[in-house]
Amino acid sequence: MNEDEIRREKLAALQESGCDPFLQVKYGVTAYSAQILNGFENFEGSAVKIAGRIITKRVMGKAAFCHLQDKDGRIQIYVRRDVVGEEEYAKFKQFDIGDIIGAEGSVFRTDMGEVSVKCSGVILLSKSLQGLPEKFHGLKDHELRYRMRYLDLIVNPEVKDALKKRTAVIKSIRKFLDGRDYLEVETPVLQTVAGGGTARPFTTHHNTLNLDMFLRIALELPLKRLIVGGIDRVYEIGRCFRNEGMSFKHNPDFTMLELYEAYTDYNGMMELVETMLREVAREVTGGLSVTHGENIIDLSAPFRRVTMAEAVREKTGVDFALINSLEDARLEAKISHVAFEARHGKGDILNLFFEKFVEDTLLQPTFVLNHPVEVSPLTKRMPGNPDYTERFELFINGWEMANAYSELNDPIDQRKRFEHQEFLRSAGDEEASMIDEDFLLALEYGMPPTGGMGMGVDRLVMLLADCASIRDVLFFPTMKPIA
């Protein structure tokens, strides 16, 4: 008989004796492990009721030691037969690693110096029918850990640290934006037009309306409609969905922060982002020097600002300010072995140079400014230099962390940009934007000058929690089902 079968037999015996643990509905916990361990002086000798999962168990005749794991950590309990009674002690000895129990007793320190609870009573609250992974080897397979996050959290409690930082990051962002009089809103996940970004959407069908719909790829266009409606400062932290490749920094569904503020521009967004990141980092990590892998990121220094064309020139010697034609841009791309397609314009090729030679070299916080208009369909053009836009991307640790614009509020120009995107879409570019007629109508009613910014929350958590993969900061990352 294997271990799982033994556990099921134990459960059956308990149920037959009228002690079904699954009928337990409440246990009045009065303290948690961390409270007791950190505040022993206040708890010593006091009666407490704790509950959690048995992680270790050592029975020595008339007495037993267990380690109980609760939401905050682990604490030892001490169970003696002459204290809890012979019958209760016999039941306790049948408990298994993984079972969830309640224990009441007094707090003391053992002869070995370990803070513990000397039990006057124990009760089985839930029976574990599956054995936990072996103590010393544990659950090490990353694929299995991501698939079985519930088990990962039990046997690798340090996993909670990164996930708790995720919550702390989101709370800190909300605190900062609420303090600047931004209004938090929720906008639809299901949309009839997948807009606000360049990405391949997930599609679905609404049966009642007999209508094909899309899971949103961005939060942008609904939020800008609210700016038109007179909500001058607005933000949303929400799930977005992109039917694209997966990597250490890409998951098909991810959490995005987008915010929009009337009567400012991308310079205002730079100030906001820089200030916000410092405040979030300080609250979450306790300082402004962030370690990620072998890199130390300094968030205290003013973030560097460089145009995309300058950044490419610094790394490659190719100066796009001196390239006046598409033919010359293509020639430079061929010389530098930068792959491009027939649909790509001069600005697209500049962006390809940046992605190949610059992006992953930007370790310290850097605002990359003034993107080509070809890759910025929702962005206001630069006065006097209409081939470029008032846009920046923030890079840290070689990752794009934020993307911001002086938002395009000219409905005539916006329609032309959408039409160009539609042309690219008809030419086979599945990531090109769709025309959103309602958004164009909203712009015709008038949108004030506006600055907007989008930031991937998951990547920010990866940075501040020193995690190498986006899967480490998602409670349930997307995984391919096991055949």
Side-chain angles (χ1 to χ4, degrees), residues 205-213:
H205 187 78
H206 193 297
N207 292 330
T208 300
L209 297 178
N210 190 26
L211 179 68
D212 287 336
M213 301 189 77

Side-chain angles (χ1 to χ4, degrees), residues 37 40 44 58 60 64-67 75-79 106-118:
L37 296 173
F40 173 71
E44 185 177 13
R58 206 161 32 99
M60 301 172 296
F65 288 93
C66 285
H67 278 98
I75 190 169
Q76 180 171 264
I77 65 170
Y78 176 51
V79 184
S106 59
V107 177
F108 78 112
R109 193 187 296 273
T110 67
D111 293 340
M112 299 297 292
E114 184 169 355
V115 175
S116 307
V117 176
K118 185 184 298 182

Side-chain angles (χ1 to χ4, degrees), residues 14-254:
L14 286 167
Q15 292 171 329
E16 288 175 9
S17 67
C19 298
D20 188 343
F22 298 125
L23 295 181
Q24 298 291 338
V25 295
K26 185 177 180 180
Y27 189 79
V29 173
T30 62
Y32 295 95
S33 59
Q35 290 176 301
I36 298 170
L37 296 173
N38 296 332
F40 173 71
E41 293 78 9
N42 297 323
F43 277 95
E44 185 177 13
S46 299
V48 296
K49 295 180 73 174
I50 61 174
R53 190 181 301 273
I54 297 175
I55 298 300
T56 68
K57 184 182 176 189
R58 206 161 32 99
V59 177
M60 301 172 296
K62 300 178 182 180
F65 288 93
C66 285
H67 278 98
L68 214 63
Q69 180 169 292
D70 63 15
K71 71 180 184 69
D72 291 335
R74 298 180 180 182
I75 190 169
Q76 180 171 264
I77 65 170
Y78 176 51
V79 184
R80 287 183 58 90
R81 186 177 68 182
D82 59 0
V83 175
V84 300
E86 191 165 336
E87 183 179 347
E88 292 304 312
Y89 188 68
K91 290 179 182 178
F92 172 77
K93 288 199 298 182
Q94 293 298 308
F95 294 172
D96 292 308
I97 302 295
D99 287 352
I100 296 173
I101 67 171
E104 59 180 307
S106 59
V107 177
F108 78 112
R109 193 187 296 273
T110 67
D111 293 340
M112 299 297 292
E114 184 169 355
V115 175
S116 307
V117 176
K118 185 184 298 182
C119 294
S120 57
V122 289
I123 184 172
L124 183 62
L125 301 174
S126 183
K127 183 67 184 171
S128 172
L129 300 181
Q130 294 282 338
L132 297 180
E134 187 267 325
K135 175 181 176 183
F136 293 103
H137 295 96
L139 186 65
K140 303 300 183 184
D141 182 276
H142 280 279
E143 289 290 313
L144 189 58
R145 287 175 60 187
Y146 297 140
R147 291 180 190 281
M148 304 175 71
R149 182 65 91 189
Y150 47 90
L151 188 57
D152 188 24
L153 288 166
I154 294 170
V155 301
N156 298 309
E158 68 278 3
V159 171
K160 289 182 184 177
D161 294 340
L163 297 174
K164 285 182 177 179
K165 280 187 176 177
R166 176 187 184 87
T167 298
V169 165
I170 293 172
K171 283 184 176 180
S172 184
I173 290 171
R174 283 196 168 103
K175 177 183 175 183
F176 176 83
L177 293 174
D178 293 346
R180 289 203 172 196
D181 198 29
Y182 275 76
L183 179 69
E184 183 177 10
V185 300
E186 293 180 308
T187 60
V189 172
L190 286 175
Q191 301 180 345
T192 55
V193 177
T198 53
R200 184 179 181 181
F202 287 93
T203 60
T204 187
H205 187 78
H206 193 297
N207 292 330
T208 300
L209 297 178
N210 190 26
L211 179 68
D212 287 336
M213 301 189 77
F214 305 95
L215 299 183
R216 65 186 179 189
I217 59 174
L219 314 174
E220 181 165 349
L221 300 188
L223 294 178
K224 283 170 33 172
R225 286 176 171 90
L226 297 180
I227 292 287
V228 171
I231 302 177
D232 284 356
R233 298 187 180 197
V234 63
Y235 78 96
E236 181 172 6
I237 300 173
R239 216 69 174 168
C240 293
F241 308 84
R242 297 186 178 184
N243 197 356
E244 300 173 338
M246 297 170 62
S247 74
F248 76 94
K249 59 181 180 178
H250 293 96
N251 196 68
D253 62 307
F254 59 98

